[in-house]
Amino acid sequence: MIWEEVLAKFKELFGDEGDIRVYFAPGRVNMIGEHTDYNGGHVFPCALTIGTYGVARKRADKKLRFYSLNFEQLGVLESSIEGLKPEKEADWTNYPKGIIWAFGEKGMQVDCGMDLVLFGNIPNGSGLSSSASVEVLTGYILKDMFGFDVTNQDLALIGQFSENKFNGVNCGIMDQFAIAMGKAGHAIFLDTATLQYEYAPIKLENAKIVISCSNKKRGLGDSKYNERRAECESALAQIGEVIGINSLGDLTEEQFEQYKSSIKDDVCQKRAKHAVYENQRTIKAVAALQNNDLETFGKLMNESHVSLRDDYEVTGVELDTLVEEAWKVDGVIGSRMTGAGFGGCTVSIVKDDAVDRFIEQVGAAYEKKIGYAADFYVVEIGDGPSRLA
Ligand code: GLA
């Protein structure tokens, strides 16, 4: 059991007395609906059975002592619950600190410090939301240990607030929502304009979800993520002059084609096109899945990738190679980049009997072209956060 090892590390570092609790929060993969969540569109992510384990205990003073088994070289990092302020620092403790700060901003003061040991089995920086996983995990720990009256949906919103204001990344709600609200065997069809959602069972008979990790690291903060968001906002302001809408997610493809010339800048027009078409694709994909039409779902995944490559321009040679090689493999139902892009992972639906061939063929072609290896994970859809012990 992984958590028992994390607990053992906690006891070794911080002693075994007192009320020590063990928690887990998942990572997430988005099946379709990329870069739509800050455009008032739909997304279709699911929580994974891989994620972040956390062992925590309250302290009598105001100190915070944090340790991550993923960054052992950093040792124990000490700070305080007092004077936490939104600022850019380089280490991972910004995520738990940001959540403690965010609870305070929302009127829930954390009144004492804590010791916390984390271990994540999500590859860091892979686009499977290791950071949102730490955020939701920390929120869940605070809720449980300090008795704050918050729902899991609140934890998602607090996580996003912290990421936006403390960590300076203008992310949408998808990652934190998928993690906080995850349900085994289901993806979440979420309308990000209203936060209405529906669980959709993912019954892949004779097929698996395979994640291919490019091993090209990305950090959202230094990526072009915020720039894409600004481009969409500029497009919305321009098209909004000719048709009354609240977000790009309000537009059908036909309306977009009719009014797109009001977006003067070509780049912003392409970005908006992706946002509009991707939202409609997501709605169609979920309908296809409900009709047990996995083939159409896969085709829409492929179209999503093309749009992210050509119109949204967030893929890059690594992700394009993984996806284009995947498309060549017999038994692949659909394949696309997932998450913010600019490196990170792809998600593919692969028939059971093609999984080994997929890993072998895509892996070899990737290494030959890119010069280093990709990693492959056959994943399962898991639940949201929980207390394990
Ligand atoms: C990142 C962000 C999400 C979402 C995706 C792209 O994962 O955190 O809010 O915008 O990128 O779909």
Side-chain angles (χ1 to χ4, degrees):
M1 272 302 240
I2 301 171
W3 68 262
E4 281 159 349
E5 287 161 34
V6 189
L7 178 61
K9 190 70 197 181
F10 183 98
K11 290 180 175 173
E12 179 196 318
L13 289 168
F14 300 137
D16 66 355
E17 61 285 348
D19 182 8
I20 301 172
R21 302 186 186 186
V22 184
Y23 303 88
F24 173 77
R28 71 96 187 89
V29 66
N30 188 22
M31 299 305 294
I32 192 161
E34 217 64 80
H35 289 279
T36 49
D37 67 343
Y38 50 86
N39 285 308
H42 292 75
V43 292
F44 196 52
C46 39
L48 298 171
T49 53
I50 53 175
T52 316
Y53 295 83
V55 178
R57 181 183 56 200
K58 277 186 177 180
R59 295 178 56 85
D61 58 15
K62 310 266 176 194
K63 241 189 223 175
L64 295 169
R65 291 194 298 180
F66 292 149
Y67 184 87
S68 167
L69 283 148
N70 299 87
F71 299 100
E72 294 197 281
Q73 69 283 7
L74 298 177
V76 174
L77 297 161
E78 284 201 19
S79 53
S80 162
I81 56 163
E82 284 173 334
L84 290 173
K85 51 178 186 304
E87 62 189 345
K88 256 199 136 69
E89 290 166 32
D91 71 65
W92 66 270
T93 65
N94 263 336
Y95 295 109
K97 281 183 203 158
I99 297 297
I100 296 171
W101 170 84
F103 268 73
E105 290 293 296
K106 303 282 174 197
M108 293 173 281
Q109 289 301 332
V110 173
D111 55 6
C112 66
M114 66 173 174
D115 296 328
L116 176 68
V117 174
L118 294 189
F119 170 68
N121 56 357
I122 311 167
N124 295 319
S126 61
L128 303 179
S129 287
S130 54
S131 47
S133 178
V134 172
E135 289 162 0
V136 172
L137 178 77
T138 310
Y140 195 84
I141 292 174
L142 296 182
K143 168 192 159 96
D144 188 62
M145 289 203 320
F146 292 82
F148 293 126
D149 183 20
V150 283
T151 62
N152 278 18
Q153 186 165 319
D154 295 333
L155 293 182
L157 289 163
I158 293 170
Q160 183 199 18
F161 175 75
S162 161
E163 177 107 26
N164 292 168
K165 304 289 180 216
F166 199 87
N167 289 293
V169 180
N170 260 331
C171 67
I173 188 62
M174 171 171 73
D175 302 348
Q176 291 82 2
F177 199 95
I179 289 167
M181 304 295 284
K183 181 169 168 182
H186 293 74
I188 308 175
F189 183 41
L190 170 69
D191 180 349
T192 63
T194 59
L195 292 190
Q196 284 190 347
Y197 65 96
E198 205 177 295
Y199 289 109
I202 303 283
K203 284 187 251 118
L204 299 178
E205 275 151 34
N206 311 321
K208 296 267 184 296
I209 301 174
V210 182
I211 289 176
S212 311
C213 186
S214 69
N215 287 324
K216 177 175 187 224
K217 297 279 182 242
R218 50 153 269 276
L220 269 187
D222 29 284
S223 74
K224 300 234 170 223
Y225 185 89
N226 289 348
E227 182 184 301
R228 289 294 177 281
R229 197 169 169 154
E231 288 161 349
C232 287
E233 276 158 15
S234 158
L236 172 64
Q238 294 175 63
I239 204 167
E241 305 245 314
V242 293
I243 173 169
I245 49 169
N246 293 320
S247 69
L248 294 173
D250 288 344
L251 293 172
T252 62
E253 293 108 323
E254 294 73 26
Q255 286 169 323
F256 177 75
E257 293 304 329
Q258 191 180 343
Y259 296 108
K260 67 180 181 190
S261 60
S262 62
I263 307 171
K264 296 297 171 220
D265 177 284
D266 283 352
V267 170
C268 290
Q269 196 182 108
K270 280 205 292 188
R271 306 299 190 240
K273 177 176 179 208
H274 167 78
V276 171
Y277 278 71
E278 179 76 355
N279 179 41
Q280 297 300 328
R281 250 192 304 274
T282 306
I283 296 168
K284 288 177 200 157
V286 176
L289 201 66
Q290 275 155 355
N291 291 329
N292 287 320
D293 182 358
L294 200 56
E295 205 182 306
T296 300
F297 188 89
K299 257 187 62 209
L300 291 162
M301 286 175 76
N302 298 347
E303 285 172 19
S304 165
H305 186 83
V306 171
S307 175
L308 289 155
R309 182 188 68 194
D310 299 344
D311 288 332
Y312 220 64
E313 297 181 280
V314 292
T315 56
V317 62
E318 297 84 2
L319 293 172
D320 288 337
T321 302
L322 285 175
V323 165
E324 284 154 22
E325 291 300 328
W327 289 342
K328 293 181 193 163
V329 178
D330 201 22
V332 170
I333 295 164
S335 184
R336 57 181 288 278
M337 61 149 268
T338 184
F342 313 105
C345 291
T346 68
V347 57
S348 309
I349 300 180
V350 185
K351 292 205 172 127
D352 285 339
D353 56 11
V355 170
D356 290 344
R357 192 168 61 237
F358 174 94
I359 294 175
E360 200 183 295
Q361 275 188 34
V362 177
Y366 184 80
E367 190 158 356
K368 187 159 170 233
K369 180 149 182 196
I370 305 298
Y372 52 83
D375 288 316
F376 298 89
Y377 305 85
V378 178
V379 294
E380 305 285 337
I381 303 177
D383 282 313
S386 61
R387 181 169 166 194
L388 303 178

